[in-house]
C-alpha cells in the first residue's frame, strides 16, 4: 500500500471513539490485542472482536453495555480466555470486555467464611491473598481461570467431588444487564428462599444474560493435612470400580482423577513421571493428620480389592506438587503424544453407575476411529474428558474427530448424563442441548429474550435462535 493511500475508515471507529469517552485509552483496536482476545486453547478458528475494552469499575462496565445496547453492538465478556468450547469467541465481532483489571478482593468475611471479589481475579490470585486467613477457595479447573469466567461456565474440576462446583460455591452476584441496569442477585446469607434463584441463573450463563461485576464466594478452611497417592490398575473398569467404592464407603476424597494408559504415556513423555503406562487413579485427601491417614488406608485396601497395584504415597509438599503439577498439565502431556497437533477437547458426565460402561464403549469407539485420544477424568463425579489429537489442517481428520465427539455426547445423554459436565456449551455443544433438554431449551430462549431482547450479549452461544428443523440447510 502506498504511504499516501488513505486508510479506509472502519465502521467500528465511531464506536471506538464513543468508548474512549468512557474509558479513555483503555479501549483499543490494536491488531495484537484483538488477536489475543480471539484465540483459545482449543482447536476452534480464531474469532477476534472489533474492539477490546479494559474496564476498571462497575460504572464503566455499565456505561459500555449501555452504549452497546444503544448501538446494537455485541458485547462479549472475557476472563482469562481459558474456556474450551469457544465460549468467549467474538463470533459476530463487537466489543470484548476484558475483565482482567477488575481483579480486587473487595471484602473477606472470615467469620462467615465468604469473600466478595471482582470477577477478573484468578483463582490463584485469590488463594494467594487468602493465605493468611486460614481459608481457601477450592474450585480448581486446572487452568488459572478468572472467577468471573469460572462462574459463567459453572466450572468445577478436580476438587468438585469434595467441595462442589461453582454452582455450590457462589453465594451472590452483582450483574450488569443488557440495558445497563445493575442488580445484586442475593445477600450473603448461606441460604435464602427469597424468590427465583437468580444467582444460579447467571452461574453457567456464559455471559449471555449479563456481565458479572462482583462475585461473593463461599470459602473453606485450609486443611490441616493433605496427602496424595497414585495407583495403577489392570484396566479402566477396575479403576472406575475403585473410585465408586471409595465414594460409596464415605471416604471424603478431595480429588480422584482417572488417567488412561494413553494419557499416562503422554505424562511420562511430558513430565517424566516414570509410571507404568496402564490406567491410574490419582487421589488427594484433606483433613486432620489422623483422618487423612485413615482415609488413605481405606482407599488403599479398596484399590487392592479391585486389582490396584503399586500404591504410592506422596506426603511431602514437593512430592504432591510434582504429581498434581503433572495432572494439571494433562493438556500438554496429551499434546506431547503428537507434536504439532491441536486438541479437540471434549467433556461429558454421566451418573457414576454408568461411567464404566460409557468409558469402555468410548475406548472401543476410539480404537475404531484410529484417532489418538487420551482420557482424563474427574471420575468421582462421573465426569471425563478426551483430548482428540488432530491435524487442524486436515479436513478429513477434523470431520472424523467431530463425528467421534458427536457420538460421545449422544452416548452420555443416552446414559442419562450430559453433553458437558463443566466446560459449558459455547459453540461446541450447541447441537446437543435440544437432545439433552428438549423443550427446556425453549424456556432458555424465553429467558434470553426477556433479559437481552436485542441479543447483544455474547451472541451465537448456548443455543441457536431456534433449533434446526427438518429441511433446513445443514
Ligand atoms: C489446561 C486446561 C484445563 C482445564 N480444565 C478444566 C477443568 O478441569 N474443569 C473446568 O471446569 N474447566 C476446565 N478448563 C476450562 C476453563 O478453565 C474454564 O472454562 C474456566 O471456567 C474459564 O474461565 P476463564 O476466566 O478463562 O473464562 P473465559 O474463557 O474468558 O470465558 C468463559 C465464558 O465466561 C464468560 N465470562 C467471562 N467473564 C465474565 C463475566 N465477568 N461476566 C459474564 N460472563 C463472563 C465469557 O463470555 C465466556 O462465555 C480447562 C482449561 C484449560 C486450558
Amino acid at each position: 500500500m502506498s504511504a499516501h493511500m488513505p486508510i479506509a475508515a472502519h465502521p467500528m471507529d465511531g464506536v471506538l471513539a464513543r468508548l474512549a469517552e468512557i474509558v479513555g485509552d483503555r479501549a483499543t483496536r490494536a491488531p495484537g490485542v484483538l488477536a489475543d482476545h480471539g484465540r483459545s486453547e482449543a482447536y476452534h478458528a480464531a474469532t477476534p472482536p472489533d474492539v477490546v475494552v479494559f474496564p476498571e469499575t462497575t460504572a464503566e462496565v455499565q456505561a459500555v453495555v449501555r452504549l452497546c445496547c444503544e448501538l446494537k453492538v455485541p458485547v462479549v465478556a472475557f476472563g482469562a480466555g481459558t474456556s474450551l468450547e469457544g465460549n468467549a469467541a467474538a463470533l459476530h465481532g463487537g466489543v470484548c470486555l476484558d475483565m482482567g483489571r477488575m481483579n480486587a478482593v473487595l471484602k473477606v468475611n472470615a467469620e462467615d467464611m465468604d469473600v466478595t471479589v471482582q470477577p477478573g481475579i484468578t483463582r490463584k490470585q485469590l488463594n494467594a491473598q487468602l493465605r493468611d486467613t486460614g481459608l481457601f477457595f477450592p474450585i480448581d479447573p486446572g487452568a488459572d481461570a478468572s472467577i468471573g469466567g469460572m462462574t459463567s461456565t459453572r466450572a468445577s474440576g478436580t476438587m468438585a467431588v469434595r467441595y462442589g462446583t461453582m454452582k455450590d460455591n457462589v453465594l451472590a452476584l452483582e450483574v450488569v444487564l443488557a440495558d445497563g441496569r445493575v442488580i445484586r442477585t442475593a445477600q450473603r446469607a448461606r441460604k435464602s428462599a427469597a424468590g427465583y434463584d437468580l444467582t444460579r441463573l447467571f452461574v453457567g450463563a456464559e455471559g449471555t444474560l449479563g456481565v458479572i461485576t462482583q462475585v461473593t464466594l463461599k470459602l473453606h478452611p485450609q486443611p490441616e493435612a493433605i496427602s496424595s497417592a497414585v495407583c495403577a490398575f489392570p484396566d479402566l473398569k477396575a479403576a472406575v470400580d475403585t473410585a465408586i467404592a471409595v465414594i460409596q464407603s464415605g471416604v471424603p476424597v478431595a480429588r480422584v482423577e482417572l488417567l488412561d494408559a494413553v494419557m499416562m504415556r503422554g505424562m511420562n513423555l511430558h513430565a517424566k513421571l516414570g509410571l507404568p503406562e496402564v490406567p491410574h487413579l490419582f487421589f488427594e485427601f484433606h483433613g486432620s493428620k489422623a483422618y487423612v491417614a485413615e482415609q488413605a488406608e481405606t482407599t488403599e485396601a479398596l484399590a487392592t480389592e479391585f486389582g490396584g497395584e503399586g500404591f504410592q504415597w506422596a506426603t511431602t509438599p514437593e512430592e504432591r506438587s510434582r504429581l498434581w503439577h503433572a495432572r494439571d498439565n494433562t493438556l500438554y502431556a496429551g499434546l506431547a503424544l503428537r507434536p504439532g497437533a491441536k486438541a479437540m477437547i471434549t467433556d461429558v458426565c454421566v451418573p457414576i453407575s454408568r461411567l464404566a460402561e460409557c468409558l469402555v464403549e468410548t475406548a472401543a469407539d476410539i480404537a475404531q476411529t484410529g484417532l489418538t485420544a487420551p482420557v482424563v477424568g474427574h471420575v468421582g463425579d462421573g465426569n471425563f474428558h478426551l483430548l482428540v489429537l488432530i491435524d487442524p489442517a486436515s479436513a478429513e481428520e477434523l470431520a472424523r474427530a467431530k463425528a467421534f465427539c458427536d457420538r460421545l455426547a449422544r452416548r452420555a445423554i443416552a446414559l442419562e448424563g450430559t453433553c458437558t459436565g463443566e466446560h459449558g456449551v459455547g459453540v461446541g455443544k450447541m447441537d446437543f442441548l435440544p437432545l439433552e433438554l428438549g423443550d427446556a431449551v425453549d424456556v432458555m430462549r424465553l429467558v434470553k429474550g426477556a433479559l437481552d431482547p436485542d441479543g447483544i450479549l455474547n451472541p451465537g452461544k448456548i443455543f441457536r435462535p431456534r433449533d434446526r428443523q427438518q429441511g433446513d440447510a445443514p
Side-chain angles (χ1 to χ4, degrees):
M1 191 195 285
S2 139
H4 302 293
M5 196 176 281
I7 298 170
H10 189 280
M12 288 303 281
D13 287 344
V15 178
L16 180 65
R18 297 278 304 272
L19 288 167
E21 289 168 13
I22 303 168
V23 295
D25 62 2
R26 285 180 282 112
T28 176
R29 297 200 62 242
V33 180
L34 299 185
D36 280 349
H37 291 79
R39 66 170 77 98
S40 82
E41 299 268 4
Y43 73 97
H44 301 282
T47 43
D50 294 307
V51 185
V52 179
V53 176
F54 296 88
E56 291 182 347
T57 62
T58 298
E60 286 184 353
V61 173
Q62 187 179 25
V64 170
V65 173
R66 268 201 182 125
L67 177 67
C68 291
C69 178
E70 177 197 325
L71 303 175
K72 309 279 182 280
V73 168
V75 193
V76 183
F78 186 96
T82 68
S83 50
L84 297 170
E85 292 292 355
N87 317 62
L91 296 182
H92 300 276
V95 174
C96 169
L97 270 176
D98 183 322
M99 306 303 286
R101 292 192 184 204
M102 290 181 64
N103 65 352
V105 172
L106 298 174
K107 190 153 196 274
V108 181
N109 296 298
E111 282 185 347
D112 298 324
M113 295 205 295
D114 69 50
V115 64
T116 298
V117 298
Q118 289 185 310
I121 193 166
T122 70
R123 63 177 184 88
K124 285 187 183 167
Q125 289 170 344
L126 173 59
N127 278 324
Q129 295 200 42
L130 291 173
R131 196 162 290 143
D132 296 335
T133 64
L135 300 169
F136 83 124
F137 179 66
I139 310 303
D140 175 2
D144 192 18
S146 73
I147 295 298
M150 289 170 63
T151 303
S152 300
T153 55
R154 207 183 296 135
S156 44
T158 54
M159 300 258 207
V161 64
R162 168 80 181 260
Y163 297 98
T165 74
M166 287 306 280
K167 132 182 109 51
D168 307 299
N169 284 280
V170 174
L171 280 172
L173 297 168
E174 179 188 84
V175 184
V176 174
L177 301 180
D179 60 6
R181 264 178 304 167
V182 180
I183 60 160
R184 195 168 168 84
T185 59
Q187 302 271 20
R188 286 194 303 113
R190 281 279 156 154
K191 59 185 211 180
S192 163
Y196 295 160
D197 189 345
L198 295 183
T199 308
R200 249 132 235 101
L201 178 63
F202 289 98
V203 174
E206 302 187 20
T208 62
L209 299 179
V211 179
I212 296 167
T213 44
Q214 281 185 21
V215 189
T216 301
L217 297 165
K218 287 184 194 169
L219 298 175
H220 299 261
Q222 287 171 14
E224 177 194 323
I226 300 179
S227 81
S228 302
V230 282
C231 185
F233 290 87
D235 54 40
L236 281 174
K237 186 165 180 334
V240 171
D241 286 344
T242 301
I244 294 175
V246 169
I247 307 273
Q248 284 180 346
S249 68
V251 175
V253 63
R255 314 198 218 202
V256 48
E257 295 286 300
L258 171 77
L259 292 91
D260 78 344
V262 185
M263 183 56 91
M264 289 306 297
R265 184 151 47 88
M267 299 274 276
N268 282 343
L269 282 172
H270 181 71
K272 314 269 174 292
L273 279 190
L275 289 169
E277 291 173 7
V278 294
H280 274 71
L281 288 179
F282 282 41
F283 297 98
E284 188 166 280
F285 306 100
H286 293 178
S288 67
K289 275 197 182 123
Y291 191 36
V292 160
E294 187 189 319
Q295 293 176 52
E297 275 163 28
T298 312
T299 301
E300 182 167 4
L302 288 169
T304 310
E305 245 177 64
F306 287 100
E309 278 183 355
F311 214 86
Q312 287 182 33
W313 291 107
T315 40
T316 65
E318 296 74 32
E319 282 173 278
R320 270 196 288 113
S321 113
R322 181 168 165 265
L323 266 188
W324 285 103
H325 181 71
R327 158 60 191 92
D328 282 347
N329 280 289
T330 44
L331 172 58
Y332 309 103
L335 291 172
L337 292 163
R338 188 177 173 189
K342 277 275 195 183
M344 184 183 287
I345 303 169
T346 191
D347 144 57
V348 295
C349 187
V350 293
I352 196 166
S353 61
R354 316 296 297 271
L355 181 60
E357 189 182 347
C358 191
L359 276 166
V360 168
E361 280 180 24
T362 303
D365 194 354
I366 300 171
Q368 279 226 321
T369 59
L371 294 162
T372 303
V375 175
V376 56
H378 314 308
V379 282
D381 297 319
N383 183 199
F384 68 93
H385 311 307
L386 276 114
L387 277 60
V388 188
L389 302 178
I390 48 165
D391 168 3
S394 162
E396 183 280 324
E397 224 174 85
L398 199 63
R400 202 159 19 120
K402 277 193 171 151
F404 164 77
C405 291
D406 188 291
R407 287 192 297 278
L408 175 59
R410 287 171 193 279
R411 183 176 305 127
I413 293 168
L415 292 170
E416 298 178 84
T418 173
C419 64
T420 172
E422 56 183 23
H423 293 165
V425 178
V427 280
K429 292 288 169 72
M430 214 153 41
D431 286 336
F432 305 106
L433 221 56
L435 185 64
E436 184 172 327
L437 298 172
D439 287 349
V441 181
D442 283 332
V443 178
M444 292 188 195
R445 286 192 185 95
L446 287 173
V447 173
K448 170 79 175 169
L451 290 182
D452 180 19
D454 294 318
I456 59 166
L457 294 172
N458 203 5
K461 307 296 165 57
I462 304 187
F463 42 76
R464 298 175 207 289
R466 73 178 175 95
D467 295 324
R468 283 198 184 129
Q469 321 261 310
Q470 236 180 347
D472 281 359

